[in-house]
Amino acid sequence: MRDLEKFKGVFVALNTIYDKNDEINVDAIKELVKIYKSKGVKGVYVCGSTGEGFLLSTEERMQVAEAVMDVAGDDFTVIVHVGCAGTKESIRLAKHAEKIGVDAVSAVPSVYYHLSPASVEKHWTGIIDSTDLPFIIYNIPQLTSFNLPLDLFERMAKNPKVIGIKNSEEPVYNMERYRTVAGDDFIIFNGSDEQYLGGRLMGANAGIGGTYGTMPELFVKLDELINQNKIEQAKLLQYKINDVIFDLISLPSLYGAAKNVISRRFGIDAGVPRSPFLPVENDEKISAIVEKIENYVAQLNELGE
């Protein structure tokens, strides 16, 4: 059995922060990582969808990864998303990630061209073979238009470097299918924030999410309740989380809303998302979301009783 404990738990899909000139704000990223460490999250997933990875240059993605590693420490797990349209650039990012000491790399299928499973397998295998790092499949068909076939997953899962999958497809049904195929010695990250409880019950043993960053305390507590088999309390907390998510996605852009809430809650200027994502004004709607989260955090002790 592999020692995969450092990949179990709650992982924040880290927002990339820019300064007023749309350059990477290294200092703000470092401060945000420190805050998440203090909140009890297990680690971060860097330069994925929430991290606006496909809006960053290769050099910027390296810059973000380096900023995170500067403050991560040995007790905080760092997974870097290296997915690109082309395998060559993904390999470049993977080699850099290995050089700076990250814990694992991850990648979506090659995007845009609607490639065959054989081409996706070639893409992922090229990345995997380029380093000695563990690899985590990133399955998000609603953005990549690639529906991961179970036979391809089975072949990939047999590679000893492939330790897990970040499964962000919306139905939780396949969590059970992936668990059945891969066995217990495998990490399945739930990627649908509003279905964290459902995903865990269907076979996931960890989670990576973009809204976690706005309310890490709630997801850490939800994970704790599930691990303690306090399912009724977990269900109530998932309802509260979904109440917040509903509010966030009702605004012009999720990333703009999340960055605004992060700024308000943690005292860090998280700025705005990179164009073409829309910013979200700091108005009464954001204030209401922040107040709601703070109220739910204040109620956490009651859920554990």
Side-chain angles (χ1 to χ4, degrees), residues 95-116:
K95 287 181 176 293
H96 174 263
E98 182 176 42
K99 181 180 178 180
I100 63 176
V102 310
D103 295 284
V105 292
S106 178
V108 292
S110 178
V111 296
Y112 182 74
Y113 287 106
H114 291 197
L115 297 173
S116 68

Side-chain angles (χ1 to χ4, degrees), residues 2-22:
R2 296 173 289 190
D3 183 13
L4 300 177
E5 285 302 313
K6 67 180 178 180
F7 295 102
K8 295 178 181 178
V10 171
F11 287 74
V12 171
L14 187 69
N15 291 93
T16 296
I17 302 176
Y18 316 102
D19 62 21
K20 300 299 183 184
N21 298 314
D22 198 33

